[in-house]
């Protein structure tokens, strides 16, 4: 059995895989002390226990503590130069965020066509993967919630808007919501255009994916929990050290 943990900036996601299919996937806030303890209580001791962590050393320490008897099994994954058919062309491969690296591996497992790998969460990452599995690079921008919060925090008269998208917004709340969404979509669609391959597709994952999907003007696949899929690839193909 393989258990994969994806520790993001605000939430911890997990998946339990038996070698054939996912048996369980779930998520909890980082300060939920019961979620990992319950996971340990529900399942037998795994063969692999992998963690992709971008929430810092304190979060990793809390995860180890809550794993109890499983803590010695935990393998914290780092970005590398090559794995599961993906070659990392980042200037310093180890500096690529491990969540992005795992998402690229998960995307490559889903499709061998050129693709854009978008993680829409606290930040939005937009990464390009060619048909040979080369990670070509990609931009990072604030996620939708961060954009709205920045406007509310740093301007005198703009609210923390909960408006709706409109092609021609006629109130401030809708104007902010529409501007934020257009910025996200524009960045994604410009990056997609740079792939310049007729068969290319966009794989979209992350907590804000559902907000973006209805408005995307490019071919896409909704691909929940891509980092967990990438961790599974590492466990299966790249043989993390025991």
């Amino acid at each position: 059995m393989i258990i994969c943990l994806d520790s993001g900036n605000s939430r911890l996601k997990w998946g339990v895989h038996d070698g054939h299919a996912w048996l369980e996937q779930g998520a909890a806030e980082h300060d939920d002390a019961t979620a990992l303890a319950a996971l340990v209580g529900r399942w037998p001791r795994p063969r692999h226990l992998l963690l992709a962590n971008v929430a810092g050393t304190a979060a990793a320490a809390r995860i180890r503590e809550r794993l109890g008897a499983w803590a010695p099994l935990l393998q914290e994954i780092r970005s590398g130069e090559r794995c599961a058919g993906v070659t990392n062309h980042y200037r310093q491969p180890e500096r690529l965020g491990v969540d992005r690296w795992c998402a690229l591996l998960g995307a490559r497992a889903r499709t061998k066509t050129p693709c854009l790998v978008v993680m829409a969460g606290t930040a939005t990452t937009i990464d390009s993967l060619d048909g040979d599995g080369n990670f070509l690079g990609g931009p990072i921008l604030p996620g939708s919630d961060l954009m709205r919060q920045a406007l509310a925090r740093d301007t005198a008269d703009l609210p923390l808007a909960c408006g709706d998208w409109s092609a021609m917004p006629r109130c401030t709340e809708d104007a902010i919501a529409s501007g934020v969404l257009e910025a996200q979509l524009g960045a994604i669609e410009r990056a997609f255009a740079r792939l310049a391959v007729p068969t290319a597709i966009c794989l979209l994952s992350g907590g804000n994916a559902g907000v973006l999907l209805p408005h995307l003007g490019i071919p896409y696949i909704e691909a929940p929990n891509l980092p967990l899929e990438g961790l599974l690839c590492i466990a299966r193909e790249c043989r993390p050290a025991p």
Side-chain angles (χ1 to χ4, degrees), residues 143-160:
S144 300
D145 293 339
L146 283 182
M147 285 187 172
R148 292 188 305 108
Q149 290 165 13
L151 283 172
R153 183 187 64 242
D154 296 332
T155 57
D157 296 322
L158 294 180
L160 182 59

Side-chain angles (χ1 to χ4, degrees), residues 99-100 103 116-121 123-127 138-141 184 188 203-204:
D99 53 341
R100 295 170 68 190
L116 203 65
V117 183
V118 178
M119 292 290 296
T124 299
T125 60
I126 306 170
D127 292 327
I140 302 172
L141 63 154
Q184 301 283 318
I188 293 169
L203 276 70
L204 192 61

Side-chain angles (χ1 to χ4, degrees), residues 3-58:
I3 295 182
C4 303
L5 305 174
D6 172 26
S7 177
N9 288 305
S10 60
R11 308 191 82 198
L12 174 69
K13 298 180 181 180
W14 64 83
V16 180
H17 201 281
D18 68 355
H20 303 284
W22 291 105
L23 305 178
E24 176 184 331
Q25 290 187 347
E29 302 299 319
H30 277 295
D31 57 5
D32 182 350
T34 63
L36 278 183
L39 187 69
V40 172
R42 282 195 300 274
W43 297 102
R45 186 180 178 91
R47 180 165 52 94
H48 292 302
L49 178 57
L50 277 59
L51 169 65
N53 176 43
V54 296
T57 56

